[in-house]
Amino acid sequence: MGLFDRAKNAFGGGTDDWAAQAKAAQELAGQHLRDAGYTDGSAVTMANAGQVSGQMQADHDVLNAYGQELNRIIAIGATGSSVVTDLVDTGDRTAGNPWYELEVQVTLPGAEPYTVRKREMVPAQFLANYAVGTTHEVKVDPADPKSIALTS
């Protein structure tokens, strides 16, 4: 067996496997679209492509604005500490990721602690990091102490 035969086999075999690989890739893409809430698991077609791409663009815009706001607060914010005191699933999803309403007790150096309610996107694999009682470093917008970004 030559070098190219071994490479071909390492990457899924010969041309007989291409159709199976393409089908598996299409099924995986459909699963991701369903998990993100864009389809019911059925294929994207010409009939629903506009709706699917419109929702994807809307989610992109939400995620972009959310990230820009967090980055803005992190760049200008005063550093403090926080404790999560409540966590409630809002039922909202963006690109398949859940939004939570967090209640956070914020403490800045030399100031009394205060409470902030914050809407935060928390992917399922990170939910335990935001359990009630967890502590986080926080950045606080100097112009609006209720605008915070959890940084740890």
Side-chain angles (χ1 to χ4, degrees), residues 53-99:
S53 65
Q55 184 58 51
M56 287 176 158
Q57 183 63 51
D59 284 354
H60 171 271
D61 294 346
V62 167
L63 293 171
N64 191 37
Y66 175 65
Q68 286 182 2
E69 178 62 7
L70 290 176
N71 286 335
R72 183 191 70 78
I73 295 169
I74 290 167
I76 65 167
T79 302
S81 62
S82 68
V83 178
V84 176
T85 56
D86 194 22
L87 175 75
V88 177
D89 188 340
T90 66
D92 295 334
R93 303 285 183 271
T94 300
N97 293 302
W99 289 91

mmCIF file of all heavy atoms in Angstrom, residues 53-99:
data_model
loop_
_atom_site.group_PDB
_atom_site.id
_atom_site.type_symbol
_atom_site.label_atom_id
_atom_site.label_comp_id
_atom_site.label_asym_id
_atom_site.label_seq_id
_atom_site.Cartn_x
_atom_site.Cartn_y
_atom_site.Cartn_z
ATOM 1 N N SER A 53 -32.269 31.828 7.411
ATOM 2 C CA SER A 53 -31.156 32.787 7.361
ATOM 3 C C SER A 53 -31.525 34.091 8.066
ATOM 4 O O SER A 53 -30.671 34.722 8.689
ATOM 5 C CB SER A 53 -30.716 33.058 5.921
ATOM 6 O OG SER A 53 -31.727 33.704 5.189
ATOM 7 N N GLY A 54 -32.791 34.478 8.017
ATOM 8 C CA GLY A 54 -33.226 35.676 8.740
ATOM 9 C C GLY A 54 -33.076 35.512 10.251
ATOM 10 O O GLY A 54 -32.619 36.422 10.940
ATOM 11 N N GLN A 55 -33.454 34.336 10.762
ATOM 12 C CA GLN A 55 -33.293 34.078 12.196
ATOM 13 C C GLN A 55 -31.816 34.007 12.580
ATOM 14 O O GLN A 55 -31.419 34.502 13.632
ATOM 15 C CB GLN A 55 -34.005 32.786 12.600
ATOM 16 C CG GLN A 55 -33.967 32.518 14.091
ATOM 17 C CD GLN A 55 -34.587 33.635 14.919
ATOM 18 O OE1 GLN A 55 -35.702 34.055 14.636
ATOM 19 N NE2 GLN A 55 -33.876 34.129 15.907
ATOM 20 N N MET A 56 -31.010 33.397 11.716
ATOM 21 C CA MET A 56 -29.569 33.341 11.987
ATOM 22 C C MET A 56 -28.976 34.751 12.050
ATOM 23 O O MET A 56 -28.162 35.041 12.922
ATOM 24 C CB MET A 56 -28.848 32.523 10.917
ATOM 25 C CG MET A 56 -29.069 31.055 10.994
ATOM 26 S SD MET A 56 -28.236 30.263 9.600
ATOM 27 C CE MET A 56 -28.053 28.612 10.234
ATOM 28 N N GLN A 57 -29.387 35.607 11.135
ATOM 29 C CA GLN A 57 -28.880 36.981 11.126
ATOM 30 C C GLN A 57 -29.342 37.730 12.366
ATOM 31 O O GLN A 57 -28.572 38.471 12.985
ATOM 32 C CB GLN A 57 -29.320 37.731 9.867
ATOM 33 C CG GLN A 57 -28.756 39.141 9.774
ATOM 34 C CD GLN A 57 -27.243 39.162 9.687
ATOM 35 O OE1 GLN A 57 -26.657 38.468 8.859
ATOM 36 N NE2 GLN A 57 -26.588 39.954 10.523
ATOM 37 N N ALA A 58 -30.592 37.539 12.762
ATOM 38 C CA ALA A 58 -31.100 38.194 13.970
ATOM 39 C C ALA A 58 -30.316 37.732 15.198
ATOM 40 O O ALA A 58 -29.936 38.551 16.053
ATOM 41 C CB ALA A 58 -32.591 37.900 14.149
ATOM 42 N N ASP A 59 -30.048 36.429 15.294
ATOM 43 C CA ASP A 59 -29.255 35.915 16.414
ATOM 44 C C ASP A 59 -27.837 36.474 16.373
ATOM 45 O O ASP A 59 -27.273 36.835 17.406
ATOM 46 C CB ASP A 59 -29.219 34.389 16.396
ATOM 47 C CG ASP A 59 -30.504 33.755 16.890
ATOM 48 O OD1 ASP A 59 -31.406 34.492 17.366
ATOM 49 O OD2 ASP A 59 -30.611 32.517 16.813
ATOM 50 N N HIS A 60 -27.259 36.539 15.190
ATOM 51 C CA HIS A 60 -25.919 37.128 15.043
ATOM 52 C C HIS A 60 -25.900 38.550 15.567
ATOM 53 O O HIS A 60 -24.991 38.946 16.303
ATOM 54 C CB HIS A 60 -25.502 37.098 13.569
ATOM 55 C CG HIS A 60 -24.259 37.861 13.282
ATOM 56 N ND1 HIS A 60 -24.275 39.205 12.966
ATOM 57 C CD2 HIS A 60 -22.966 37.492 13.290
ATOM 58 C CE1 HIS A 60 -23.031 39.620 12.781
ATOM 59 N NE2 HIS A 60 -22.222 38.615 12.968
ATOM 60 N N ASP A 61 -26.909 39.328 15.222
ATOM 61 C CA ASP A 61 -26.976 40.720 15.669
ATOM 62 C C ASP A 61 -27.100 40.818 17.189
ATOM 63 O O ASP A 61 -26.454 41.661 17.824
ATOM 64 C CB ASP A 61 -28.142 41.443 14.986
ATOM 65 C CG ASP A 61 -27.939 41.594 13.486
ATOM 66 O OD1 ASP A 61 -26.808 41.393 12.990
ATOM 67 O OD2 ASP A 61 -28.938 41.898 12.796
ATOM 68 N N VAL A 62 -27.921 39.947 17.788
ATOM 69 C CA VAL A 62 -28.072 39.932 19.256
ATOM 70 C C VAL A 62 -26.746 39.579 19.913
ATOM 71 O O VAL A 62 -26.304 40.243 20.855
ATOM 72 C CB VAL A 62 -29.182 38.941 19.680
ATOM 73 C CG1 VAL A 62 -29.143 38.677 21.176
ATOM 74 C CG2 VAL A 62 -30.543 39.461 19.271
ATOM 75 N N LEU A 63 -26.098 38.528 19.427
ATOM 76 C CA LEU A 63 -24.824 38.094 20.016
ATOM 77 C C LEU A 63 -23.747 39.154 19.845
ATOM 78 O O LEU A 63 -22.943 39.388 20.761
ATOM 79 C CB LEU A 63 -24.374 36.774 19.392
ATOM 80 C CG LEU A 63 -25.253 35.570 19.698
ATOM 81 C CD1 LEU A 63 -24.836 34.380 18.845
ATOM 82 C CD2 LEU A 63 -25.211 35.231 21.167
ATOM 83 N N ASN A 64 -23.723 39.800 18.704
ATOM 84 C CA ASN A 64 -22.731 40.843 18.451
ATOM 85 C C ASN A 64 -22.932 42.023 19.402
ATOM 86 O O ASN A 64 -21.976 42.508 20.018
ATOM 87 C CB ASN A 64 -22.812 41.288 16.992
ATOM 88 C CG ASN A 64 -21.657 42.154 16.584
ATOM 89 O OD1 ASN A 64 -20.531 41.934 17.013
ATOM 90 N ND2 ASN A 64 -21.927 43.143 15.741
ATOM 91 N N ALA A 65 -24.165 42.483 19.548
ATOM 92 C CA ALA A 65 -24.451 43.607 20.448
ATOM 93 C C ALA A 65 -24.137 43.234 21.901
ATOM 94 O O ALA A 65 -23.566 44.039 22.648
ATOM 95 C CB ALA A 65 -25.916 44.034 20.314
ATOM 96 N N TYR A 66 -24.497 42.032 22.299
ATOM 97 C CA TYR A 66 -24.229 41.544 23.652
ATOM 98 C C TYR A 66 -22.722 41.534 23.924
ATOM 99 O O TYR A 66 -22.247 42.042 24.942
ATOM 100 C CB TYR A 66 -24.837 40.150 23.789
ATOM 101 C CG TYR A 66 -24.561 39.422 25.077
ATOM 102 C CD1 TYR A 66 -25.051 39.882 26.294
ATOM 103 C CD2 TYR A 66 -23.845 38.229 25.079
ATOM 104 C CE1 TYR A 66 -24.832 39.189 27.466
ATOM 105 C CE2 TYR A 66 -23.618 37.527 26.238
ATOM 106 C CZ TYR A 66 -24.108 38.006 27.437
ATOM 107 O OH TYR A 66 -23.882 37.314 28.587
ATOM 108 N N GLY A 67 -21.956 40.975 22.996
ATOM 109 C CA GLY A 67 -20.503 40.923 23.149
ATOM 110 C C GLY A 67 -19.871 42.303 23.167
ATOM 111 O O GLY A 67 -18.953 42.566 23.964
ATOM 112 N N GLN A 68 -20.339 43.200 22.317
ATOM 113 C CA GLN A 68 -19.784 44.557 22.295
ATOM 114 C C GLN A 68 -20.053 45.283 23.610
ATOM 115 O O GLN A 68 -19.180 45.991 24.112
ATOM 116 C CB GLN A 68 -20.352 45.346 21.116
ATOM 117 C CG GLN A 68 -19.775 44.924 19.797
ATOM 118 C CD GLN A 68 -20.312 45.745 18.634
ATOM 119 O OE1 GLN A 68 -21.102 46.668 18.801
ATOM 120 N NE2 GLN A 68 -19.866 45.410 17.438
ATOM 121 N N GLU A 69 -21.237 45.095 24.177
ATOM 122 C CA GLU A 69 -21.552 45.750 25.446
ATOM 123 C C GLU A 69 -20.692 45.190 26.571
ATOM 124 O O GLU A 69 -20.165 45.941 27.396
ATOM 125 C CB GLU A 69 -23.035 45.609 25.774
ATOM 126 C CG GLU A 69 -23.435 46.219 27.107
ATOM 127 C CD GLU A 69 -23.213 47.725 27.233
ATOM 128 O OE1 GLU A 69 -22.848 48.397 26.240
ATOM 129 O OE2 GLU A 69 -23.406 48.248 28.352
ATOM 130 N N LEU A 70 -20.531 43.876 26.616
ATOM 131 C CA LEU A 70 -19.653 43.292 27.634
ATOM 132 C C LEU A 70 -18.223 43.802 27.474
ATOM 133 O O LEU A 70 -17.575 44.177 28.462
ATOM 134 C CB LEU A 70 -19.680 41.766 27.558
ATOM 135 C CG LEU A 70 -20.966 41.082 27.989
ATOM 136 C CD1 LEU A 70 -20.868 39.573 27.771
ATOM 137 C CD2 LEU A 70 -21.307 41.398 29.436
ATOM 138 N N ASN A 71 -17.724 43.840 26.256
ATOM 139 C CA ASN A 71 -16.363 44.327 26.007
ATOM 140 C C ASN A 71 -16.207 45.800 26.401
ATOM 141 O O ASN A 71 -15.179 46.199 26.930
ATOM 142 C CB ASN A 71 -15.963 44.123 24.548
ATOM 143 C CG ASN A 71 -15.658 42.674 24.234
ATOM 144 O OD1 ASN A 71 -15.288 41.895 25.109
ATOM 145 N ND2 ASN A 71 -15.828 42.309 22.988
ATOM 146 N N ARG A 72 -17.251 46.599 26.154
ATOM 147 C CA ARG A 72 -17.199 48.015 26.529
ATOM 148 C C ARG A 72 -17.080 48.151 28.045
ATOM 149 O O ARG A 72 -16.230 48.891 28.545
ATOM 150 C CB ARG A 72 -18.467 48.735 26.039
ATOM 151 C CG ARG A 72 -18.476 50.239 26.328
ATOM 152 C CD ARG A 72 -19.853 50.843 26.074
ATOM 153 N NE ARG A 72 -20.836 50.424 27.054
ATOM 154 C CZ ARG A 72 -20.935 50.926 28.297
ATOM 155 N NH1 ARG A 72 -20.098 51.854 28.715
ATOM 156 N NH2 ARG A 72 -21.870 50.495 29.119
ATOM 157 N N ILE A 73 -17.902 47.411 28.786
ATOM 158 C CA ILE A 73 -17.865 47.493 30.246
ATOM 159 C C ILE A 73 -16.530 46.980 30.773
ATOM 160 O O ILE A 73 -15.942 47.592 31.677
ATOM 161 C CB ILE A 73 -19.049 46.710 30.858
ATOM 162 C CG1 ILE A 73 -20.378 47.372 30.476
ATOM 163 C CG2 ILE A 73 -18.908 46.625 32.375
ATOM 164 C CD1 ILE A 73 -21.602 46.549 30.799
ATOM 165 N N ILE A 74 -16.039 45.891 30.212
ATOM 166 C CA ILE A 74 -14.749 45.351 30.653
ATOM 167 C C ILE A 74 -13.628 46.365 30.419
ATOM 168 O O ILE A 74 -12.731 46.513 31.256
ATOM 169 C CB ILE A 74 -14.464 44.009 29.950
ATOM 170 C CG1 ILE A 74 -15.425 42.937 30.491
ATOM 171 C CG2 ILE A 74 -13.011 43.584 30.122
ATOM 172 C CD1 ILE A 74 -15.463 41.650 29.683
ATOM 173 N N ALA A 75 -13.682 47.086 29.306
ATOM 174 C CA ALA A 75 -12.626 48.049 28.973
ATOM 175 C C ALA A 75 -12.617 49.255 29.902
ATOM 176 O O ALA A 75 -11.542 49.771 30.243
ATOM 177 C CB ALA A 75 -12.781 48.509 27.518
ATOM 178 N N ILE A 76 -13.782 49.727 30.346
ATOM 179 C CA ILE A 76 -13.831 50.968 31.128
ATOM 180 C C ILE A 76 -14.194 50.751 32.587
ATOM 181 O O ILE A 76 -14.103 51.664 33.397
ATOM 182 C CB ILE A 76 -14.852 51.964 30.524
ATOM 183 C CG1 ILE A 76 -16.278 51.407 30.628
ATOM 184 C CG2 ILE A 76 -14.477 52.321 29.093
ATOM 185 C CD1 ILE A 76 -17.362 52.414 30.352
ATOM 186 N N GLY A 77 -14.607 49.522 32.931
ATOM 187 C CA GLY A 77 -15.199 49.276 34.235
ATOM 188 C C GLY A 77 -14.234 49.240 35.397
ATOM 189 O O GLY A 77 -13.059 48.910 35.260
ATOM 190 N N ALA A 78 -14.802 49.573 36.562
ATOM 191 C CA ALA A 78 -14.080 49.440 37.828
ATOM 192 C C ALA A 78 -14.166 47.979 38.253
ATOM 193 O O ALA A 78 -15.192 47.324 38.079
ATOM 194 C CB ALA A 78 -14.719 50.336 38.888
ATOM 195 N N THR A 79 -13.093 47.467 38.824
ATOM 196 C CA THR A 79 -13.038 46.063 39.233
ATOM 197 C C THR A 79 -13.626 45.884 40.623
ATOM 198 O O THR A 79 -13.328 46.646 41.541
ATOM 199 C CB THR A 79 -11.580 45.560 39.211
ATOM 200 O OG1 THR A 79 -11.062 45.725 37.889
ATOM 201 C CG2 THR A 79 -11.503 44.093 39.605
ATOM 202 N N GLY A 80 -14.448 44.870 40.755
ATOM 203 C CA GLY A 80 -15.030 44.518 42.040
ATOM 204 C C GLY A 80 -15.233 43.027 42.128
ATOM 205 O O GLY A 80 -14.725 42.256 41.305
ATOM 206 N N SER A 81 -15.989 42.622 43.128
ATOM 207 C CA SER A 81 -16.319 41.210 43.284
ATOM 208 C C SER A 81 -17.826 41.066 43.331
ATOM 209 O O SER A 81 -18.551 42.039 43.570
ATOM 210 C CB SER A 81 -15.681 40.650 44.554
ATOM 211 O OG SER A 81 -16.184 41.318 45.692
ATOM 212 N N SER A 82 -18.298 39.850 43.116
ATOM 213 C CA SER A 82 -19.736 39.623 43.117
ATOM 214 C C SER A 82 -20.036 38.200 43.571
ATOM 215 O O SER A 82 -19.193 37.314 43.496
ATOM 216 C CB SER A 82 -20.325 39.862 41.731
ATOM 217 O OG SER A 82 -19.875 38.875 40.812
ATOM 218 N N VAL A 83 -21.265 38.030 44.028
ATOM 219 C CA VAL A 83 -21.788 36.726 44.417
ATOM 220 C C VAL A 83 -23.140 36.559 43.741
ATOM 221 O O VAL A 83 -23.994 37.456 43.827
ATOM 222 C CB VAL A 83 -21.952 36.610 45.953
ATOM 223 C CG1 VAL A 83 -22.556 35.262 46.328
ATOM 224 C CG2 VAL A 83 -20.641 36.833 46.664
ATOM 225 N N VAL A 84 -23.343 35.437 43.073
ATOM 226 C CA VAL A 84 -24.641 35.148 42.462
ATOM 227 C C VAL A 84 -25.604 34.759 43.579
ATOM 228 O O VAL A 84 -25.332 33.846 44.362
ATOM 229 C CB VAL A 84 -24.531 34.010 41.427
ATOM 230 C CG1 VAL A 84 -25.903 33.648 40.873
ATOM 231 C CG2 VAL A 84 -23.580 34.397 40.301
ATOM 232 N N THR A 85 -26.734 35.493 43.673
ATOM 233 C CA THR A 85 -27.713 35.217 44.721
ATOM 234 C C THR A 85 -29.003 34.602 44.173
ATOM 235 O O THR A 85 -29.806 34.090 44.945
ATOM 236 C CB THR A 85 -28.052 36.498 45.514
ATOM 237 O OG1 THR A 85 -28.510 37.504 44.597
ATOM 238 C CG2 THR A 85 -26.823 37.014 46.253
ATOM 239 N N ASP A 86 -29.200 34.651 42.848
ATOM 240 C CA ASP A 86 -30.371 34.026 42.245
ATOM 241 C C ASP A 86 -30.083 33.800 40.766
ATOM 242 O O ASP A 86 -29.332 34.562 40.142
ATOM 243 C CB ASP A 86 -31.613 34.907 42.413
ATOM 244 C CG ASP A 86 -32.911 34.169 42.105
ATOM 245 O OD1 ASP A 86 -32.933 32.922 42.173
ATOM 246 O OD2 ASP A 86 -33.907 34.845 41.806
ATOM 247 N N LEU A 87 -30.680 32.761 40.221
ATOM 248 C CA LEU A 87 -30.482 32.394 38.818
ATOM 249 C C LEU A 87 -31.786 31.799 38.313
ATOM 250 O O LEU A 87 -32.252 30.790 38.842
ATOM 251 C CB LEU A 87 -29.350 31.372 38.708
ATOM 252 C CG LEU A 87 -29.059 30.780 37.346
ATOM 253 C CD1 LEU A 87 -28.333 31.806 36.483
ATOM 254 C CD2 LEU A 87 -28.202 29.534 37.491
ATOM 255 N N VAL A 88 -32.394 32.433 37.291
ATOM 256 C CA VAL A 88 -33.675 31.974 36.769
ATOM 257 C C VAL A 88 -33.586 31.889 35.249
ATOM 258 O O VAL A 88 -33.194 32.854 34.585
ATOM 259 C CB VAL A 88 -34.813 32.951 37.162
ATOM 260 C CG1 VAL A 88 -36.133 32.513 36.555
ATOM 261 C CG2 VAL A 88 -34.918 33.075 38.671
ATOM 262 N N ASP A 89 -33.952 30.737 34.707
ATOM 263 C CA ASP A 89 -34.003 30.559 33.255
ATOM 264 C C ASP A 89 -35.170 31.379 32.714
ATOM 265 O O ASP A 89 -36.307 31.217 33.154
ATOM 266 C CB ASP A 89 -34.188 29.081 32.924
ATOM 267 C CG ASP A 89 -34.062 28.770 31.436
ATOM 268 O OD1 ASP A 89 -34.201 29.678 30.597
ATOM 269 O OD2 ASP A 89 -33.820 27.594 31.124
ATOM 270 N N THR A 90 -34.888 32.275 31.760
ATOM 271 C CA THR A 90 -35.944 33.121 31.195
ATOM 272 C C THR A 90 -36.778 32.389 30.155
ATOM 273 O O THR A 90 -37.854 32.860 29.784
ATOM 274 C CB THR A 90 -35.343 34.371 30.519
ATOM 275 O OG1 THR A 90 -34.580 33.948 29.379
ATOM 276 C CG2 THR A 90 -34.481 35.173 31.484
ATOM 277 N N GLY A 91 -36.265 31.274 29.649
ATOM 278 C CA GLY A 91 -36.941 30.558 28.575
ATOM 279 C C GLY A 91 -36.540 31.058 27.200
ATOM 280 O O GLY A 91 -36.867 30.433 26.193
ATOM 281 N N ASP A 92 -35.833 32.186 27.144
ATOM 282 C CA ASP A 92 -35.369 32.729 25.862
ATOM 283 C C ASP A 92 -34.122 31.989 25.413
ATOM 284 O O ASP A 92 -33.300 31.565 26.234
ATOM 285 C CB ASP A 92 -35.041 34.222 25.997
ATOM 286 C CG ASP A 92 -36.264 35.064 26.303
ATOM 287 O OD1 ASP A 92 -37.383 34.659 25.947
ATOM 288 O OD2 ASP A 92 -36.089 36.139 26.916
ATOM 289 N N ARG A 93 -33.962 31.873 24.101
ATOM 290 C CA ARG A 93 -32.785 31.232 23.519
ATOM 291 C C ARG A 93 -32.291 32.082 22.356
ATOM 292 O O ARG A 93 -33.089 32.642 21.602
ATOM 293 C CB ARG A 93 -33.107 29.835 22.991
ATOM 294 C CG ARG A 93 -33.685 28.872 24.023
ATOM 295 C CD ARG A 93 -32.602 28.378 24.962
ATOM 296 N NE ARG A 93 -33.049 27.406 25.932
ATOM 297 C CZ ARG A 93 -33.534 27.707 27.140
ATOM 298 N NH1 ARG A 93 -33.690 28.960 27.501
ATOM 299 N NH2 ARG A 93 -33.870 26.762 27.981
ATOM 300 N N THR A 94 -30.991 32.143 22.210
ATOM 301 C CA THR A 94 -30.375 32.776 21.051
ATOM 302 C C THR A 94 -29.347 31.795 20.514
ATOM 303 O O THR A 94 -28.440 31.391 21.251
ATOM 304 C CB THR A 94 -29.696 34.108 21.416
ATOM 305 O OG1 THR A 94 -30.674 34.996 21.956
ATOM 306 C CG2 THR A 94 -29.054 34.758 20.196
ATOM 307 N N ALA A 95 -29.512 31.399 19.267
ATOM 308 C CA ALA A 95 -28.641 30.401 18.641
ATOM 309 C C ALA A 95 -28.575 29.141 19.500
ATOM 310 O O ALA A 95 -27.548 28.488 19.591
ATOM 311 C CB ALA A 95 -27.257 30.974 18.385
ATOM 312 N N GLY A 96 -29.681 28.825 20.149
ATOM 313 C CA GLY A 96 -29.763 27.629 20.967
ATOM 314 C C GLY A 96 -29.257 27.790 22.388
ATOM 315 O O GLY A 96 -29.401 26.887 23.201
ATOM 316 N N ASN A 97 -28.671 28.924 22.719
ATOM 317 C CA ASN A 97 -28.133 29.155 24.057
ATOM 318 C C ASN A 97 -29.150 29.845 24.943
ATOM 319 O O ASN A 97 -29.779 30.817 24.531
ATOM 320 C CB ASN A 97 -26.861 30.007 23.989
ATOM 321 C CG ASN A 97 -25.730 29.263 23.324
ATOM 322 O OD1 ASN A 97 -25.346 28.201 23.761
ATOM 323 N ND2 ASN A 97 -25.216 29.830 22.242
ATOM 324 N N PRO A 98 -29.291 29.371 26.181
ATOM 325 C CA PRO A 98 -30.302 29.935 27.078
ATOM 326 C C PRO A 98 -29.861 31.237 27.743
ATOM 327 O O PRO A 98 -28.681 31.444 28.012
ATOM 328 C CB PRO A 98 -30.490 28.838 28.136
ATOM 329 C CG PRO A 98 -29.209 28.092 28.143
ATOM 330 C CD PRO A 98 -28.647 28.188 26.755
ATOM 331 N N TRP A 99 -30.835 32.096 27.992
ATOM 332 C CA TRP A 99 -30.633 33.330 28.739
ATOM 333 C C TRP A 99 -31.155 33.128 30.162
ATOM 334 O O TRP A 99 -32.204 32.517 30.356
ATOM 335 C CB TRP A 99 -31.383 34.491 28.098
ATOM 336 C CG TRP A 99 -30.791 34.947 26.805
ATOM 337 C CD1 TRP A 99 -31.119 34.503 25.560
ATOM 338 C CD2 TRP A 99 -29.770 35.924 26.633
ATOM 339 N NE1 TRP A 99 -30.363 35.152 24.618
ATOM 340 C CE2 TRP A 99 -29.528 36.038 25.248
ATOM 341 C CE3 TRP A 99 -29.044 36.723 27.498
ATOM 342 C CZ2 TRP A 99 -28.583 36.911 24.718
ATOM 343 C CZ3 TRP A 99 -28.105 37.603 26.973
ATOM 344 C CH2 TRP A 99 -27.882 37.691 25.596
#
